[in-house]
Amino acid sequence: TTPTIDAAEVSFHPDAKRFICPPVTTDPTPTRLDSLSLDKGNKVIKYILLEPRTTSRTLCTLTRVNDEFNPNRVYIPIARAYDDNPLWTKSAGKYVSTTEVICGEAGLDGLPEYQAGETLCQVKLDPPLDLTNDGYYLTTFQVGDNIKDEKAIVATFLEKVTFGPTAEEINKLHAQYTQQGPYALAKWLKDNLAKPISSHRAQFRKYLH
């Protein structure tokens, strides 16, 4: 089923360019965004427009390759979207602090890239590409049924390390996991281990009498 997307009205950057995730294949291949990647070295921050991800059981990622001449390419994550979370969000990693993502319904026409009323996400690509950088890529993956979504990962983690999480605790850590990835779980564990030791027996006795 196609998820319902509730997006507020926004204004996109006038120079933003629209791109579409590549189709799903058995062997996912990163697709280079040539019009962005070839225009580099001018220190101008670029903006990209992407459609929400509504295709069932798929994930689309936006990545960046810095070393143009290295045969062993490293795809650095920037943003992602998938059918359970169709609006694009920042990916944990090197550029999480400089990347900006806004999603919403276009208030005005931005022809030829979009029309008023379309729901899109704008990603600010900062810092700009240097002359030695390769460029930006979009890749689409088919998500298998055996792969848990992020909220399930967070809930499972909290079930293992607490006496039972509340919905509020799950949602709070899930929001952090969306931005920071597995680091959010490690930080949660470190912060809680630093707290004063409490006694389960004392708590039991407190409420028993």
Side-chain angles (χ1 to χ4, degrees), residues 27-183:
D27 183 20
T29 302
T31 300
R32 189 168 185 249
L33 309 183
D34 285 341
S35 60
L36 285 179
S37 303
L38 296 177
D39 182 19
K40 56 187 177 180
N42 52 18
K43 301 186 182 303
V44 175
I45 294 175
K46 305 292 184 181
Y47 296 83
I48 180 174
L49 291 173
L50 297 166
E51 298 175 3
R53 195 70 196 159
T54 58
T55 307
S56 179
R57 307 300 298 174
T58 61
L59 162 72
C60 188
T61 63
L62 172 65
T63 57
R64 168 175 171 156
V65 176
N66 283 339
D67 192 346
E68 182 175 10
F69 303 104
N70 187 346
N72 299 316
R73 289 181 171 176
V74 176
Y75 294 90
I76 305 170
I78 297 175
R80 59 186 173 178
Y82 48 95
D83 59 326
D84 288 333
N85 187 33
L87 297 180
W88 286 77
T89 57
K90 295 191 291 184
S91 296
K94 181 176 182 177
Y95 298 113
V96 67
S97 63
T98 56
T99 300
E100 294 180 5
V101 180
I102 60 169
C103 297
E105 187 178 285
L108 300 171
D109 286 340
L111 299 176
E113 302 299 332
Y114 58 88
Q115 296 180 333
E118 279 195 85
T119 298
L120 296 167
C121 292
Q122 175 182 279
V123 183
K124 179 183 178 181
L125 304 173
D126 187 22
L129 293 174
D130 291 330
L131 288 174
T132 57
N133 297 152
D134 182 34
Y136 298 102
Y137 289 80
L138 284 172
T139 312
T140 303
F141 302 88
Q142 184 74 45
V143 180
D145 292 335
N146 61 326
I147 299 179
K148 292 183 177 180
D149 62 36
E150 290 180 341
K151 198 164 189 178
I153 292 173
V154 169
T156 300
F157 169 80
L158 289 176
E159 286 173 356
K160 290 180 178 179
V161 298
T162 69
F163 290 110
T166 64
E168 181 180 356
E169 290 170 335
I170 293 173
N171 290 335
K172 180 179 179 181
L173 186 55
H174 176 235
Q176 296 169 355
Y177 189 94
T178 299
Q179 297 295 325
Q180 303 172 350
Y183 172 78

